Amino acid sequence: MIKEIGRVATGNTPSKSNQAFYASDDIGFIKPDMISEDKITYIKSSKEFISEQARSKARIAGNKAVCVTCIGIIGKIGIIDGGEYAFNQQINVIEPNEKVSSEYLAYCLLYNRNRLMHMANAPVVPIINKTQFENFQITIEDGRDEQNQIVERLSKTAHAINMCKQQMTQYELLIKSRFVELFGDPVQNPKNFPVFRMDEVVTFQGGSQPDKKYFEYEPSEENIRLIQIRDYKSDKFVTYIPKNMARRFCTKDDIMIGRYGPPIFQILKGIEGAYNVALMKAVPKQGNKEFIRAFLKQECLLHYLESMSSRTAGQDGIQMDKLKAYPFPMPPIKLQNEFAEFVAKVEELKDTTQKSINELQLLFDSLMQKYFG
């Protein structure tokens, strides 16, 4: 049990009404948004702080303490990497004893994340209380030397995956840079391209929402995959519906848009199948698809839509009349095609890098299974 390998503490938030508690940046304050969902986060700095006067009212942990989110998104893992930090009530912290190293414990908990998520006991906001967390059972390797060797192997693979993902980010920045170089700021339109309404350039096709009673979870000749927002984060829970229930379809080349958020207006790649009401497809009426895709990704459009978002069923949603009326500068098709050719070359590099990520992830998963399964 976790309580046998370290001291567990649940965080809190010193009273916001006492301004003295937040008058200076003395102690970093950890919140769940500082911790990544898909890897171990080493916490070296903070965006929020409390003052020294709040110390007695806060929960504070020191270097190498392991942070685990236990409310909302369950099982995000962080390690305090230098100094001391306070942490809020959504986080449990383990200060490991001599039985286990921090990094080894972090990888062990990352492997057991699905078990933690399954244990969360609230249907609306998942939560694991301190007692449940302390009694959570894990299996650890005896001997710090063996633990350190395991951490070294896993860390090397995780680092390689992270470097490839950073390269993917650089490719995206390269495409954005080329867009601005060729077309300028789409708001300022410095090259005086003709301006159209968005709905003169693109048709938006909303998805449909089949009744959940028709959902299936195994593929067959009679059904088709139902694409949902969550499918862009994980393929672990794939949903299928009968083919005769499908109304809207997308392919891998289509421009898909997330309609609700946060975050709203996610520009996504197509996935083969039907798509539900949380997504819509952007179908070009004129112009080059890659140019249109890049335009839809522009931050100025995103900020505009965020400021104009509407509230539907507890979610922020796109105001379609605002989106359709948005001004769309239209460069000559030759320039659009030049941009598309550049994007195609970058996409080839991205495909190669993605293959490396997939291979490394497979290796990482097999190592995690070997050491903790």
Side-chain angles (χ1 to χ4, degrees):
M1 291 186 287
I2 286 177
K3 64 184 178 182
E4 297 174 322
I5 58 174
R7 185 179 72 86
V8 176
T10 300
N12 68 343
T13 301
S15 175
K16 294 282 189 178
S17 63
N18 190 331
Q19 295 183 1
F21 290 167
Y22 298 90
S24 55
D25 297 347
D26 300 323
I27 303 168
F29 190 67
I30 303 172
K31 297 172 72 174
D33 62 0
M34 294 172 55
I35 304 174
S36 174
E37 281 193 58
D38 59 355
K39 64 180 180 180
I40 295 169
T41 302
Y42 287 84
I43 300 168
K44 301 180 181 183
S45 60
S46 180
K47 297 181 288 186
E48 297 188 29
F49 299 85
I50 60 173
S51 69
E52 189 63 39
Q53 294 183 60
R55 178 181 288 272
S56 63
K57 302 296 183 181
R59 305 280 165 75
I60 295 176
N63 191 41
K64 295 300 180 182
V66 178
C67 305
V68 185
T69 58
C70 289
I71 297 179
I73 300 176
I74 303 294
K76 297 200 294 182
I77 312 294
I79 299 176
I80 295 176
D81 190 16
E84 58 181 10
Y85 288 80
F87 48 101
N88 80 356
Q89 58 273 15
Q90 294 173 271
I91 296 170
N92 282 339
V93 159
I94 312 164
E95 294 184 307
N97 58 30
E98 69 283 352
K99 294 180 181 179
V100 65
S101 75
S102 298
E103 286 82 2
Y104 179 86
L105 175 59
Y107 278 117
C108 182
L109 290 169
L110 185 65
Y111 176 79
N112 284 283
R113 184 180 180 189
N114 284 341
R115 288 180 56 221
L116 283 168
M117 293 168 68
H118 182 73
M119 187 172 69
N121 58 13
V124 179
V125 180
I127 181 170
I128 298 173
N129 64 41
K130 183 184 176 185
T131 300
Q132 288 176 303
F133 188 69
E134 286 181 319
N135 292 324
F136 186 72
Q137 293 189 345
I138 56 175
T139 302
I140 65 170
E141 185 74 35
D142 290 331
R144 294 290 288 270
D145 288 344
E146 182 63 24
Q147 290 179 17
N148 291 339
Q149 290 176 19
I150 290 170
V151 167
E152 183 179 2
R153 294 174 195 136
L154 290 170
S155 296
K156 283 182 178 178
T157 308
H159 177 71
I161 292 171
N162 189 48
M163 292 301 291
C164 287
K165 288 183 176 180
Q166 288 182 27
Q167 186 63 59
M168 293 289 274
T169 301
Q170 291 301 313
Y171 289 143
E172 286 295 331
L173 292 175
L174 191 60
I175 292 173
K176 288 182 179 180
S177 175
R178 184 61 172 160
F179 182 94
V180 173
E181 180 183 347
L182 288 175
F183 311 118
D185 184 323
V187 175
Q188 301 297 327
N189 192 17
K191 301 188 180 185
N192 294 314
F193 298 130
V195 178
F196 296 80
R197 281 173 52 104
M198 180 75 77
D199 59 4
E200 294 178 296
V201 179
V202 178
T203 296
F204 297 101
Q205 297 179 350
S208 60
Q209 189 64 41
D211 194 307
K212 287 188 177 181
K213 68 182 181 182
Y214 297 107
F215 284 13
E216 301 173 19
Y217 300 96
E218 294 293 336
S220 72
E221 291 184 2
E222 291 76 32
N223 62 28
I224 188 171
R225 183 172 181 178
L226 178 66
I227 312 304
Q228 305 177 78
I229 285 287
R230 70 183 186 191
D231 294 328
Y232 288 91
K233 285 191 174 182
S234 172
D235 279 337
K236 292 181 180 178
F237 307 102
V238 178
T239 303
Y240 300 88
I241 58 172
K243 288 180 179 178
N244 63 358
M245 298 293 299
R247 296 291 178 267
R248 296 287 191 179
F249 304 90
C250 58
T251 69
K252 293 180 180 179
D253 292 330
D254 285 325
I255 305 170
M256 302 303 297
I257 299 171
R259 298 186 65 175
Y260 304 108
I264 66 165
F265 206 67
Q266 304 170 69
I267 307 302
L268 306 164
K269 284 193 171 183
I271 301 175
E272 206 76 33
Y275 57 96
N276 77 350
V277 71
L279 294 162
M280 61 183 178
K281 179 165 65 174
V283 181
K285 293 180 177 180
Q286 57 175 305
N288 185 288
K289 181 181 286 188
E290 286 306 326
F291 167 73
I292 292 171
R293 190 194 307 272
F295 181 88
L296 292 171
K297 287 184 176 181
Q298 295 302 302
E299 290 183 5
C300 53
L301 175 56
L302 173 61
H303 294 329
Y304 170 79
L305 291 172
E306 284 179 336
S307 68
M308 296 292 178
S309 65
S310 60
R311 198 78 174 162
T312 304
Q315 293 182 305
D316 292 325
I318 300 167
Q319 285 195 28
M320 290 303 299
D321 58 333
K322 304 295 184 184
L323 175 59
K324 291 177 179 179
Y326 194 81
F328 195 117
M330 183 63 75
I333 191 64
K334 182 178 179 181
L335 206 58
Q336 294 183 41
N337 291 341
E338 181 183 335
F339 173 75
E341 290 171 5
F342 176 81
V343 170
K345 292 176 182 177
V346 176
E347 288 295 334
E348 288 179 7
L349 297 174
K350 287 174 65 177
D351 287 343
T352 301
T353 304
Q354 186 61 54
K355 287 178 183 177
S356 296
I357 291 173
N358 295 342
E359 291 170 359
L360 288 165
Q361 188 65 54
L362 187 63
L363 173 60
F364 181 81
D365 292 344
S366 66
L367 289 173
M368 291 282 275
Q369 177 66 34
K370 174 182 177 180
Y371 299 134
F372 302 114

